[in-house]
Amino acid sequence: MTQIENKLESLGLVLPPPVAMPSGVVLPFPWVRIVGQRALISGHGPQHADGSLAEPLGKVGRELTLEEGYEAARLTALGMLGSLKRALGDLDRITAWVRVFGMVNAAPGFDRMPAVINGFSDLILTLYGPEVGAHARSAVGLAELPFDIPVEIEAEVEIRD
């Protein structure tokens, strides 16, 4: 097992399989696109360990609390790591988390998007440490997200061969 997989196991965390999309939904793009020494990661949402979309669904600040939004962002990190594991074969190939773009399905008046996306960033920093895990980041609120998910996050990492 790799160093990152050992850390995940020690935290009792499991990487989910590919997301189980709703019936009839076809996505014409890869979850991870490798270009040179970079892996560009398409927007991911929160998943259960079986690959299904994680509940609760809805807007943070209305159907979800800040804490539930934070947990959704954490689950999103696990789904993204699962996609990276399938694409790279080894999560230890990641040499830097370069950029993270976090989107929150926000209720009108909710403005704590950075605190929600911290659920993602905190897990990445726990697993990769401050040297590799530190990343540039944006956290924005949107009126809607696909399938009413509370959080969607995309990222870019640097990788070694």
Side-chain angles (χ1 to χ4, degrees), residues 84-122:
L84 284 164
K85 168 81 172 138
R86 287 184 291 280
L88 303 175
D90 180 354
L91 293 172
D92 289 352
R93 286 183 60 195
I94 297 170
T95 58
W97 282 81
V98 178
R99 183 186 66 83
V100 170
F101 181 65
M103 297 160 273
V104 178
N105 188 357
F110 182 81
D111 65 358
R112 306 272 321 270
M113 285 67 86
V116 170
I117 302 303
N118 282 350
F120 181 95
S121 295
D122 289 348

Side-chain angles (χ1 to χ4, degrees), residues 17-94:
V19 66
M21 296 305 297
S23 179
V25 174
V26 177
L27 302 176
F29 56 84
W31 290 108
V32 176
R33 175 139 162 77
I34 298 171
V35 179
Q37 298 302 115
R38 301 281 171 119
L40 306 169
I41 306 122
S42 297
H44 281 64
Q47 294 175 249
H48 289 299
D50 66 359
S52 63
L53 293 176
E55 293 86 20
L57 300 174
K59 295 188 179 303
V60 181
R62 189 171 68 202
E63 288 85 15
L64 284 81
T65 65
L66 172 75
E67 294 76 19
E68 289 171 319
Y70 178 97
E71 181 59 22
R74 184 176 161 90
L75 290 174
T76 300
L78 291 173
M80 188 177 289
L81 288 165
S83 291
L84 284 164
K85 168 81 172 138
R86 287 184 291 280
L88 303 175
D90 180 354
L91 293 172
D92 289 352
R93 286 183 60 195
I94 297 170

